[in-house]
Amino acid sequence: MREEFKSIAEWILKRALELGADEAEVSLTVSTSRLVKSEGVYPKALSRASSDVWIRVAKGKRVAITTASTLERDALASTVEKAVQLARVSEEDPHWNGLPDPEKPAHSWVGFDEGIVSLEAGWLLDQVRSLISEVPKRYRDVKVTASGGTLAYGYSYVANTRGLSAEQRGTYMSMSLSTKATHSGNEGTGFAFLESRSLVLDFDNLIDRACKMALDSAMGEKLGSTISGNVAFKPLPLGELLEYLLVPAFNAMNVLEGLSPLRDKTGQKVFGKLTLVDDGSLPGGLETALFDAEGVPRRKTVLVEDGVVKGFLHNTYTARRMGVKSTGNATKARGSYAVSRSNMIIQGGELSDEELIENAQVVVDGTLLSVHTVNYVTGNFSVVATNPYLVKNGELKPLKPVSVAGNIYQSAETLEFSRKIINTYTGFYLPLTLAGKITVTG
């Protein structure tokens, strides 16, 4: 496969230059996945293979991108011709400063597990069936509403006319379980999932979390009041909030467009005790890779250190506009090259989970509804927590869903973090986090 991809890439780059491009880049990806999804307790299997080709060319400061879903040469010839034609008529981008230069990888960890590659859909079907059958054995008041799993592997190759040549392979697996419970005539729902770059064979924690969440949800009582004060966010809902509220503020494109509230805060203490790192080199990390979508090495980037803003996430375009080095965070999105996080990590603090919860009035778990409506420009958020708990006399009392509102920048100085870092299975690695100045209603 390597030699085939290299041959195709060299041919495309040569052809682009022959057609008049000043620079050219090609990205080739092939992937195979086996999926199982259940409708209730009836799992169904799907196998899928795909090819993805992106060609980016520049003519002066005019840039165009074309894509294809085949490796067939006649189709690719048409795709590269179209790219050069589009570049000739595109608007000039005064900030375009060329494609990335070649660099050696910044780390050596490769997320590839032969165990995932070797397994067939039948194995995955057996695992999903086992999840479904195991739930009523352990929790008689809980039933499965949906379950599923994925096994996937792929290979990608990026090359450009500056001499960049980067290849990598990867594997991925996931399992998920959704549940419904009944208690004293009330119903509640729960869910749990895991995602990994290597093969996972133990799903006991997955079952327990989904079932206990559903049972707690069914036993939840209405808060019946408004509470203003300290709220402890479990790692999963905290990651959801950060994804929409804080990650965009560190996107260098948003900084350049004046949309980030952090655009003029570099070197300033904004976030209290927070230390936040984007680490695309984390061994075992869900988003770890040797290279980003442009073939630039993934690396570790400190965004906030002890509350002080240190930098932003870049691809080649944003980095050259701001006169810095790319952080290796390029991604393909909606026909263009954008900026995205890799593995996002918050450094743990000094308190245990129990000590931190003692200082909270409400604990937020489960998922956050309407989280996509938060305002990263102002830092304001108002979301619905599906599985909250009231802290009462040192115990956690399940609540019905509540509204949780605040402003991340107003709460920043109050942030406290537990010692233990949890893998959320979403690319966030986070501690239980206490935030003050939060309003909870329900």
Side-chain angles (χ1 to χ4, degrees), residues 23-67:
E23 287 193 296
E25 172 189 81
V26 58
S27 172
L28 308 168
T29 303
V30 292
S31 62
T32 300
S33 57
R34 304 174 183 89
L35 304 93
V36 172
K37 294 184 178 180
S38 76
E39 298 172 352
V41 295
Y42 305 104
K44 298 174 177 61
L46 169 68
S47 182
R48 180 167 57 200
S50 64
S51 300
D52 188 38
V53 181
W54 282 50
I55 299 172
R56 178 165 58 166
V57 302
K59 182 68 176 175
K61 290 184 176 293
R62 303 175 189 271
V63 184
I65 297 171
T66 53
T67 66

Side-chain angles (χ1 to χ4, degrees), residues 98-176:
L99 295 168
D101 295 309
E103 294 183 63
K104 293 182 179 179
H107 69 97
S108 60
W109 190 84
V110 177
F112 190 87
D113 189 334
E114 291 286 358
I116 290 178
V117 178
S118 66
L119 293 171
E120 297 295 337
W123 179 87
L124 197 58
L125 271 169
D126 289 342
Q127 303 309 307
V128 172
R129 291 190 185 110
S130 177
L131 282 180
I132 294 171
S133 64
E134 191 67 23
V135 167
K137 295 177 184 177
R138 300 190 190 185
Y139 300 89
R140 65 179 185 180
D141 294 327
V142 180
K143 71 175 185 178
V144 175
T145 57
S147 184
T150 303
L151 297 170
Y153 59 93
Y155 173 86
S156 63
Y157 181 81
V158 182
N160 69 29
T161 50
R162 292 193 175 206
L164 184 150
S165 177
E167 64 174 332
Q168 59 190 337
R169 58 180 185 166
T171 53
Y172 165 87
M173 82 161 290
S174 70
M175 293 292 288
S176 63

